[in-house]
PDB file of all heavy atoms in Angstrom:
ATOM      1  N   ILE A  50      33.788   6.585 -98.290  1.00 73.00           N
ATOM      2  CA  ILE A  50      35.004   6.726 -99.118  1.00 73.00           C
ATOM      3  C   ILE A  50      34.628   7.551-100.356  1.00 73.00           C
ATOM      4  O   ILE A  50      33.571   7.382-100.933  1.00 73.00           O
ATOM      5  CB  ILE A  50      35.475   5.277 -99.531  1.00 73.00           C
ATOM      6  CG1 ILE A  50      35.958   4.495 -98.337  1.00 73.00           C
ATOM      7  CG2 ILE A  50      36.622   5.407-100.541  1.00 73.00           C
ATOM      8  CD1 ILE A  50      36.358   3.079 -98.665  1.00 73.00           C
ATOM      9  N   LYS A  51      35.564   8.429-100.687  1.00 74.00           N
ATOM     10  CA  LYS A  51      35.318   9.264-101.853  1.00 74.00           C
ATOM     11  C   LYS A  51      35.295   8.447-103.149  1.00 74.00           C
ATOM     12  O   LYS A  51      36.196   7.659-103.458  1.00 74.00           O
ATOM     13  CB  LYS A  51      36.447  10.316-101.930  1.00 74.00           C
ATOM     14  CG  LYS A  51      36.189  11.347-103.024  1.00 74.00           C
ATOM     15  CD  LYS A  51      37.285  12.376-103.059  1.00 74.00           C
ATOM     16  CE  LYS A  51      37.126  13.333-104.157  1.00 74.00           C
ATOM     17  NZ  LYS A  51      38.166  14.326-104.250  1.00 74.00           N
ATOM     18  N   ASN A  52      34.226   8.572-103.908  1.00 69.00           N
ATOM     19  CA  ASN A  52      34.022   7.862-105.191  1.00 69.00           C
ATOM     20  C   ASN A  52      34.139   6.337-105.072  1.00 69.00           C
ATOM     21  O   ASN A  52      34.939   5.718-105.780  1.00 69.00           O
ATOM     22  CB  ASN A  52      34.954   8.373-106.265  1.00 69.00           C
ATOM     23  CG  ASN A  52      34.741   9.839-106.550  1.00 69.00           C
ATOM     24  OD1 ASN A  52      33.640  10.301-106.462  1.00 69.00           O
ATOM     25  ND2 ASN A  52      35.828  10.538-106.894  1.00 69.00           N
ATOM     26  N   PRO A  53      33.394   5.637-104.246  1.00 70.00           N
ATOM     27  CA  PRO A  53      33.521   4.203-104.109  1.00 70.00           C
ATOM     28  C   PRO A  53      33.037   3.469-105.361  1.00 70.00           C
ATOM     29  O   PRO A  53      33.436   2.389-105.629  1.00 70.00           O
ATOM     30  CB  PRO A  53      32.645   3.855-102.900  1.00 70.00           C
ATOM     31  CG  PRO A  53      31.664   4.932-102.879  1.00 70.00           C
ATOM     32  CD  PRO A  53      32.336   6.149-103.346  1.00 70.00           C
ATOM     33  N   GLU A  54      32.178   4.134-106.189  1.00 70.00           N
ATOM     34  CA  GLU A  54      31.697   3.481-107.359  1.00 70.00           C
ATOM     35  C   GLU A  54      32.780   3.315-108.459  1.00 70.00           C
ATOM     36  O   GLU A  54      32.647   2.506-109.358  1.00 70.00           O
ATOM     37  CB  GLU A  54      30.474   4.276-107.941  1.00 70.00           C
ATOM     38  CG  GLU A  54      30.855   5.608-108.471  1.00 70.00           C
ATOM     39  CD  GLU A  54      30.905   6.726-107.430  1.00 70.00           C
ATOM     40  OE1 GLU A  54      30.641   6.471-106.243  1.00 70.00           O
ATOM     41  OE2 GLU A  54      31.154   7.886-107.838  1.00 70.00           O
ATOM     42  N   LEU A  55      33.874   4.078-108.312  1.00 75.00           N
ATOM     43  CA  LEU A  55      34.932   3.958-109.282  1.00 75.00           C
ATOM     44  C   LEU A  55      35.862   2.820-109.003  1.00 75.00           C
ATOM     45  O   LEU A  55      36.684   2.472-109.868  1.00 75.00           O
ATOM     46  CB  LEU A  55      35.775   5.255-109.347  1.00 75.00           C
ATOM     47  CG  LEU A  55      34.976   6.488-109.811  1.00 75.00           C
ATOM     48  CD1 LEU A  55      35.874   7.717-109.763  1.00 75.00           C
ATOM     49  CD2 LEU A  55      34.471   6.299-111.213  1.00 75.00           C
ATOM     50  N   PHE A  56      35.774   2.197-107.837  1.00 76.00           N
ATOM     51  CA  PHE A  56      36.704   1.100-107.495  1.00 76.00           C
ATOM     52  C   PHE A  56      36.623  -0.019-108.469  1.00 76.00           C
ATOM     53  O   PHE A  56      37.614  -0.506-109.006  1.00 76.00           O
ATOM     54  CB  PHE A  56      36.473   0.632-106.077  1.00 76.00           C
ATOM     55  CG  PHE A  56      37.251  -0.619-105.733  1.00 76.00           C
ATOM     56  CD1 PHE A  56      38.594  -0.498-105.435  1.00 76.00           C
ATOM     57  CD2 PHE A  56      36.639  -1.873-105.718  1.00 76.00           C
ATOM     58  CE1 PHE A  56      39.343  -1.631-105.144  1.00 76.00           C
ATOM     59  CE2 PHE A  56      37.388  -2.968-105.397  1.00 76.00           C
ATOM     60  CZ  PHE A  56      38.731  -2.869-105.128  1.00 76.00           C
ATOM     61  N   SER A  57      35.439  -0.520-108.735  1.00 74.00           N
ATOM     62  CA  SER A  57      35.277  -1.650-109.657  1.00 74.00           C
ATOM     63  C   SER A  57      35.645  -1.235-111.065  1.00 74.00           C
ATOM     64  O   SER A  57      36.265  -2.051-111.818  1.00 74.00           O
ATOM     65  CB  SER A  57      33.847  -2.206-109.628  1.00 74.00           C
ATOM     66  OG  SER A  57      32.928  -1.250-110.050  1.00 74.00           O
ATOM     67  N   GLY A  58      35.429  -0.019-111.426  1.00 78.00           N
ATOM     68  CA  GLY A  58      35.775   0.429-112.784  1.00 78.00           C
ATOM     69  C   GLY A  58      37.251   0.535-112.995  1.00 78.00           C
ATOM     70  O   GLY A  58      37.752   0.377-114.085  1.00 78.00           O
ATOM     71  N   LEU A  59      37.996   0.742-111.890  1.00 79.00           N
ATOM     72  CA  LEU A  59      39.439   0.802-112.037  1.00 79.00           C
ATOM     73  C   LEU A  59      40.087  -0.558-111.756  1.00 79.00           C
ATOM     74  O   LEU A  59      41.201  -0.847-112.250  1.00 79.00           O
ATOM     75  CB  LEU A  59      40.002   1.808-110.975  1.00 79.00           C
ATOM     76  CG  LEU A  59      39.614   3.272-111.274  1.00 79.00           C
ATOM     77  CD1 LEU A  59      40.019   4.123-110.085  1.00 79.00           C
ATOM     78  CD2 LEU A  59      40.209   3.706-112.524  1.00 79.00           C
ATOM     79  N   ALA A  60      39.478  -1.388-110.967  1.00 80.00           N
ATOM     80  CA  ALA A  60      40.029  -2.707-110.620  1.00 80.00           C
ATOM     81  C   ALA A  60      39.777  -3.755-111.711  1.00 80.00           C
ATOM     82  O   ALA A  60      40.644  -4.596-111.910  1.00 80.00           O
ATOM     83  CB  ALA A  60      39.465  -3.218-109.305  1.00 80.00           C
ATOM     84  N   VAL A  61      38.687  -3.695-112.384  1.00 81.00           N
ATOM     85  CA  VAL A  61      38.328  -4.713-113.398  1.00 81.00           C
ATOM     86  C   VAL A  61      39.377  -4.767-114.506  1.00 81.00           C
ATOM     87  O   VAL A  61      39.848  -5.867-114.854  1.00 81.00           O
ATOM     88  CB  VAL A  61      36.914  -4.487-113.912  1.00 81.00           C
ATOM     89  CG1 VAL A  61      36.676  -5.333-115.147  1.00 81.00           C
ATOM     90  CG2 VAL A  61      35.900  -4.857-112.819  1.00 81.00           C
ATOM     91  N   PRO A  62      39.784  -3.644-115.125  1.00 83.00           N
ATOM     92  CA  PRO A  62      40.772  -3.761-116.196  1.00 83.00           C
ATOM     93  C   PRO A  62      42.078  -4.413-115.771  1.00 83.00           C
ATOM     94  O   PRO A  62      42.783  -5.053-116.597  1.00 83.00           O
ATOM     95  CB  PRO A  62      40.976  -2.318-116.659  1.00 83.00           C
ATOM     96  CG  PRO A  62      39.761  -1.600-116.230  1.00 83.00           C
ATOM     97  CD  PRO A  62      39.351  -2.290-115.002  1.00 83.00           C
ATOM     98  N   MET A  63      42.468  -4.261-114.512  1.00 84.00           N
ATOM     99  CA  MET A  63      43.688  -4.837-114.007  1.00 84.00           C
ATOM    100  C   MET A  63      43.708  -6.374-114.083  1.00 84.00           C
ATOM    101  O   MET A  63      44.780  -7.000-114.120  1.00 84.00           O
ATOM    102  CB  MET A  63      44.000  -4.391-112.599  1.00 84.00           C
ATOM    103  CG  MET A  63      44.212  -2.918-112.452  1.00 84.00           C
ATOM    104  SD  MET A  63      45.585  -2.427-113.504  1.00 84.00           S
ATOM    105  CE  MET A  63      45.363  -0.678-113.500  1.00 84.00           C
ATOM    106  N   HIS A  64      42.525  -6.970-114.138  1.00 83.00           N
ATOM    107  CA  HIS A  64      42.459  -8.426-114.231  1.00 83.00           C
ATOM    108  C   HIS A  64      42.656  -8.921-115.630  1.00 83.00           C
ATOM    109  O   HIS A  64      42.945 -10.065-115.909  1.00 83.00           O
ATOM    110  CB  HIS A  64      41.106  -8.908-113.671  1.00 83.00           C
ATOM    111  CG  HIS A  64      41.007  -8.783-112.210  1.00 83.00           C
ATOM    112  ND1 HIS A  64      41.139  -9.818-111.327  1.00 83.00           N
ATOM    113  CD2 HIS A  64      40.789  -7.685-111.427  1.00 83.00           C
ATOM    114  CE1 HIS A  64      41.034  -9.391-110.133  1.00 83.00           C
ATOM    115  NE2 HIS A  64      40.810  -8.122-110.122  1.00 83.00           N
ATOM    116  N   PHE A  65      42.487  -7.993-116.640  1.00 84.00           N
ATOM    117  CA  PHE A  65      42.656  -8.423-118.006  1.00 84.00           C
ATOM    118  C   PHE A  65      44.038  -8.043-118.589  1.00 84.00           C
ATOM    119  O   PHE A  65      44.462  -8.575-119.587  1.00 84.00           O
ATOM    120  CB  PHE A  65      41.586  -7.756-118.902  1.00 84.00           C
ATOM    121  CG  PHE A  65      40.223  -8.241-118.611  1.00 84.00           C
ATOM    122  CD1 PHE A  65      39.291  -7.407-117.983  1.00 84.00           C
ATOM    123  CD2 PHE A  65      39.863  -9.528-118.859  1.00 84.00           C
ATOM    124  CE1 PHE A  65      37.987  -7.889-117.758  1.00 84.00           C
ATOM    125  CE2 PHE A  65      38.570 -10.005-118.575  1.00 84.00           C
ATOM    126  CZ  PHE A  65      37.678  -9.189-118.026  1.00 84.00           C
ATOM    127  N   PHE A  66      44.762  -7.148-117.914  1.00 85.00           N
ATOM    128  CA  PHE A  66      46.070  -6.696-118.388  1.00 85.00           C
ATOM    129  C   PHE A  66      47.096  -7.865-118.501  1.00 85.00           C
ATOM    130  O   PHE A  66      47.844  -7.944-119.482  1.00 85.00           O
ATOM    131  CB  PHE A  66      46.644  -5.563-117.587  1.00 85.00           C
ATOM    132  CG  PHE A  66      45.962  -4.244-117.837  1.00 85.00           C
ATOM    133  CD1 PHE A  66      45.955  -3.252-116.855  1.00 85.00           C
ATOM    134  CD2 PHE A  66      45.350  -3.995-119.040  1.00 85.00           C
ATOM    135  CE1 PHE A  66      45.339  -2.040-117.086  1.00 85.00           C
ATOM    136  CE2 PHE A  66      44.693  -2.778-119.301  1.00 85.00           C
ATOM    137  CZ  PHE A  66      44.730  -1.848-118.325  1.00 85.00           C
ATOM    138  N   PRO A  67      47.175  -8.776-117.511  1.00 84.00           N
ATOM    139  CA  PRO A  67      48.183  -9.837-117.649  1.00 84.00           C
ATOM    140  C   PRO A  67      47.935 -10.702-118.849  1.00 84.00           C
ATOM    141  O   PRO A  67      48.857 -11.009-119.608  1.00 84.00           O
ATOM    142  CB  PRO A  67      48.076 -10.629-116.370  1.00 84.00           C
ATOM    143  CG  PRO A  67      47.497  -9.702-115.376  1.00 84.00           C
ATOM    144  CD  PRO A  67      46.602  -8.794-116.130  1.00 84.00           C
ATOM    145  N   ALA A  68      46.699 -11.141-119.061  1.00 85.00           N
ATOM    146  CA  ALA A  68      46.386 -11.981-120.246  1.00 85.00           C
ATOM    147  C   ALA A  68      46.645 -11.216-121.545  1.00 85.00           C
ATOM    148  O   ALA A  68      47.187 -11.731-122.540  1.00 85.00           O
ATOM    149  CB  ALA A  68      44.960 -12.470-120.156  1.00 85.00           C
ATOM    150  N   LEU A  69      46.195  -9.955-121.562  1.00 86.00           N
ATOM    151  CA  LEU A  69      46.367  -9.168-122.791  1.00 86.00           C
ATOM    152  C   LEU A  69      47.857  -8.972-123.091  1.00 86.00           C
ATOM    153  O   LEU A  69      48.297  -9.082-124.221  1.00 86.00           O
ATOM    154  CB  LEU A  69      45.698  -7.764-122.597  1.00 86.00           C
ATOM    155  CG  LEU A  69      45.822  -6.794-123.733  1.00 86.00           C
ATOM    156  CD1 LEU A  69      45.090  -7.333-124.985  1.00 86.00           C
ATOM    157  CD2 LEU A  69      45.301  -5.424-123.329  1.00 86.00           C
ATOM    158  N   ALA A  70      48.640  -8.649-122.083  1.00 85.00           N
ATOM    159  CA  ALA A  70      50.090  -8.473-122.293  1.00 85.00           C
ATOM    160  C   ALA A  70      50.730  -9.730-122.756  1.00 85.00           C
ATOM    161  O   ALA A  70      51.586  -9.767-123.692  1.00 85.00           O
ATOM    162  CB  ALA A  70      50.749  -7.973-121.005  1.00 85.00           C
ATOM    163  N   PHE A  71      50.336 -10.855-122.184  1.00 84.00           N
ATOM    164  CA  PHE A  71      50.952 -12.131-122.506  1.00 84.00           C
ATOM    165  C   PHE A  71      50.615 -12.517-123.953  1.00 84.00           C
ATOM    166  O   PHE A  71      51.474 -12.936-124.727  1.00 84.00           O
ATOM    167  CB  PHE A  71      50.499 -13.222-121.558  1.00 84.00           C
ATOM    168  CG  PHE A  71      51.169 -14.503-121.784  1.00 84.00           C
ATOM    169  CD1 PHE A  71      52.468 -14.731-121.354  1.00 84.00           C
ATOM    170  CD2 PHE A  71      50.534 -15.538-122.473  1.00 84.00           C
ATOM    171  CE1 PHE A  71      53.138 -15.914-121.597  1.00 84.00           C
ATOM    172  CE2 PHE A  71      51.187 -16.753-122.677  1.00 84.00           C
ATOM    173  CZ  PHE A  71      52.477 -16.976-122.266  1.00 84.00           C
ATOM    174  N   PHE A  72      49.314 -12.372-124.317  1.00 85.00           N
ATOM    175  CA  PHE A  72      48.873 -12.717-125.704  1.00 85.00           C
ATOM    176  C   PHE A  72      49.536 -11.858-126.702  1.00 85.00           C
ATOM    177  O   PHE A  72      49.819 -12.282-127.867  1.00 85.00           O
ATOM    178  CB  PHE A  72      47.382 -12.656-125.824  1.00 85.00           C
ATOM    179  CG  PHE A  72      46.649 -13.759-125.049  1.00 85.00           C
ATOM    180  CD1 PHE A  72      45.449 -13.480-124.454  1.00 85.00           C
ATOM    181  CD2 PHE A  72      47.176 -15.012-124.912  1.00 85.00           C
ATOM    182  CE1 PHE A  72      44.758 -14.440-123.786  1.00 85.00           C
ATOM    183  CE2 PHE A  72      46.481 -15.975-124.231  1.00 85.00           C
ATOM    184  CZ  PHE A  72      45.282 -15.710-123.623  1.00 85.00           C
ATOM    185  N   CYS A  73      49.868 -10.623-126.368  1.00 87.00           N
ATOM    186  CA  CYS A  73      50.498  -9.697-127.312  1.00 87.00           C
ATOM    187  C   CYS A  73      52.007  -9.927-127.466  1.00 87.00           C
ATOM    188  O   CYS A  73      52.546  -9.703-128.552  1.00 87.00           O
ATOM    189  CB  CYS A  73      50.255  -8.223-126.882  1.00 87.00           C
ATOM    190  SG  CYS A  73      48.561  -7.696-127.071  1.00 87.00           S
ATOM    191  N   LEU A  74      52.600 -10.358-126.401  1.00 84.00           N
ATOM    192  CA  LEU A  74      54.058 -10.511-126.427  1.00 84.00           C
ATOM    193  C   LEU A  74      54.566 -11.867-126.768  1.00 84.00           C
ATOM    194  O   LEU A  74      55.721 -12.023-127.173  1.00 84.00           O
ATOM    195  CB  LEU A  74      54.671 -10.065-125.061  1.00 84.00           C
ATOM    196  CG  LEU A  74      54.468  -8.584-124.720  1.00 84.00           C
ATOM    197  CD1 LEU A  74      55.013  -8.317-123.339  1.00 84.00           C
ATOM    198  CD2 LEU A  74      55.232  -7.710-125.777  1.00 84.00           C
ATOM    199  N   VAL A  75      53.735 -12.907-126.635  1.00 83.00           N
ATOM    200  CA  VAL A  75      54.196 -14.287-126.918  1.00 83.00           C
ATOM    201  C   VAL A  75      54.717 -14.463-128.357  1.00 83.00           C
ATOM    202  O   VAL A  75      55.753 -15.098-128.539  1.00 83.00           O
ATOM    203  CB  VAL A  75      53.063 -15.297-126.654  1.00 83.00           C
ATOM    204  CG1 VAL A  75      53.128 -16.547-127.456  1.00 83.00           C
ATOM    205  CG2 VAL A  75      53.142 -15.660-125.181  1.00 83.00           C
TER     206      VAL A  75
END
Side-chain angles (χ1 to χ4, degrees):
I50 295 177
K51 185 178 178 182
N52 298 328
E54 66 277 359
L55 295 178
F56 173 75
S57 61
L59 295 172
V61 167
M63 296 301 166
H64 290 259
F65 294 112
F66 286 154
L69 179 65
F71 186 77
F72 291 144
C73 291
L74 294 176
V75 152

